[in-house]
Amino acid sequence: DAGVIQSPRHEVTEMGQEVTLRCKPISGHDYLFWYRQTMMRGLELLIYFNNNVPIDDSGMPEDRFSAKMPNASFSTLKIQPSEPRDSAVYFCASSLSRDYNNEQFFGPGTRLTVL
Amino acid sequence: AQSVTQLGSHVSVSEGALVLLRCNYSSSVPPYLFWYVQYPNQGLQLLLKYTTGATLVKGINGFEAEFKKSETSFHLTKPSAHMSDAAEYFCAVSVGFSGGSNYKLTFGKGTLLTVNP
């Protein structure tokens, strides 16, 4: 399997612009997670889905952030409008509920810089 | 709610020396515990995990960790550090799999391991 795929790997944008991050989970996995990693706050869970349905979005920082999972093989995290404090590395991870060990498989991340 | 505390944001060892990275957890129910490693500019990958059974868990690259319930600890060790071990290490906890919310992992802040030649 190719693992979790994220695109783009790097994104540089200007404040106020819309940013869309994309994720393709491992085929067959039914859980998908979006994390944000910063020096100040470490690794934070933003939202996660089970069978394409959002289960817990309590980590989404503001209404400027939204996430969707239209099908089992694709998810997006959107920031509109973006702000400099959104600069971070965003990770997508997936897992299989039948694997009760809860191992999550991480993508390589998207490094977002908002100028 | 569960939580994880990693003692020491930065640990520096010499090549060949013992590696000890500390992790303490808080959980109201028996936890599942994980160590993940993150190499520069990469995502996290699983190093080892404890779910049930033997409390001494062996992982990849010669690492191991011991679950000590009485101390609420899950420290990561490696007898002899190698230059390639330089990375950031994250301890994480989840509280089982009954119910959707239990698939959440709560991560510690991470410990950056530096290995000196």
Side-chain angles (χ1 to χ4, degrees):
Chain A
D1 199 309
V4 176
I5 298 172
Q6 292 187 246
S7 64
R9 292 293 310 275
H10 301 273
E11 176 81 31
V12 180
T13 191
E14 293 188 347
M15 183 174 61
Q17 296 298 307
E18 177 179 295
V19 175
T20 300
L21 311 181
R22 297 172 175 79
C23 175
K24 176 179 169 54
I26 292 173
S27 178
H29 282 192
D30 53 351
Y31 276 82
L32 183 139
F33 306 81
W34 280 102
Y35 292 90
R36 178 173 67 176
Q37 185 179 39
T38 62
M39 290 290 290
M40 291 296 293
R41 302 173 67 91
L43 197 63
E44 304 172 277
L45 177 65
L46 300 177
I47 184 171
Y48 75 96
F49 296 82
N50 176 220
N51 291 323
N52 313 337
V53 176
I55 301 299
D56 184 348
D57 65 354
S58 60
M60 296 286 262
E62 300 172 35
D63 291 344
R64 299 184 295 106
F65 286 70
S66 62
K68 294 182 180 180
M69 193 166 184
N71 57 62
S73 60
F74 184 65
S75 177
T76 60
L77 177 67
K78 186 176 293 186
I79 308 173
Q80 167 62 21
S82 58
E83 297 183 3
R85 58 193 169 124
D86 301 331
S87 297
V89 181
Y90 291 81
F91 289 102
C92 176
S94 69
S95 68
L96 182 63
S97 61
R98 287 185 288 116
D99 174 10
Y100 68 91
N101 296 325
N102 293 8
E103 178 177 353
Q104 294 184 16
F105 295 81
F106 282 74
T110 295
R111 182 174 296 275
L112 173 65
T113 303
V114 183
L115 303 175
Chain B
Q2 64 268 29
S3 66
V4 173
T5 301
Q6 290 185 240
L7 301 176
S9 59
H10 188 193
V11 170
S12 182
V13 300
S14 298
E15 192 173 18
L18 171 72
V19 175
L20 171 61
L21 305 183
R22 301 178 186 273
C23 172
N24 288 88
Y25 70 90
S26 171
S27 174
S28 58
V29 297
Y32 291 175
L33 295 160
F34 305 78
W35 277 99
Y36 280 81
V37 61
Q38 184 181 27
Y39 297 102
N41 299 314
Q42 295 186 26
L44 281 70
Q45 63 184 83
L46 185 67
L47 204 54
L48 51 78
K49 59 192 175 190
Y50 167 79
T51 53
T52 58
T55 56
L56 181 62
V57 180
K58 295 187 184 298
I60 61 173
N61 301 336
F63 283 92
E64 62 183 35
E66 186 171 11
F67 170 59
K68 292 187 176 180
K69 183 179 179 180
S70 61
E71 299 177 8
T72 62
S73 69
F74 191 57
H75 302 331
L76 181 71
T77 60
K78 181 174 181 177
S80 177
H82 191 273
M83 297 295 289
S84 61
D85 295 326
E88 189 155 21
Y89 292 80
F90 293 89
C91 183
V93 62
S94 74
V95 292
F97 58 97
S98 59
S101 64
N102 289 341
Y103 283 92
K104 290 172 63 170
L105 286 178
T106 300
F107 284 89
K109 294 290 188 184
T111 298
L112 181 65
L113 176 65
T114 301
V115 182
N116 303 309

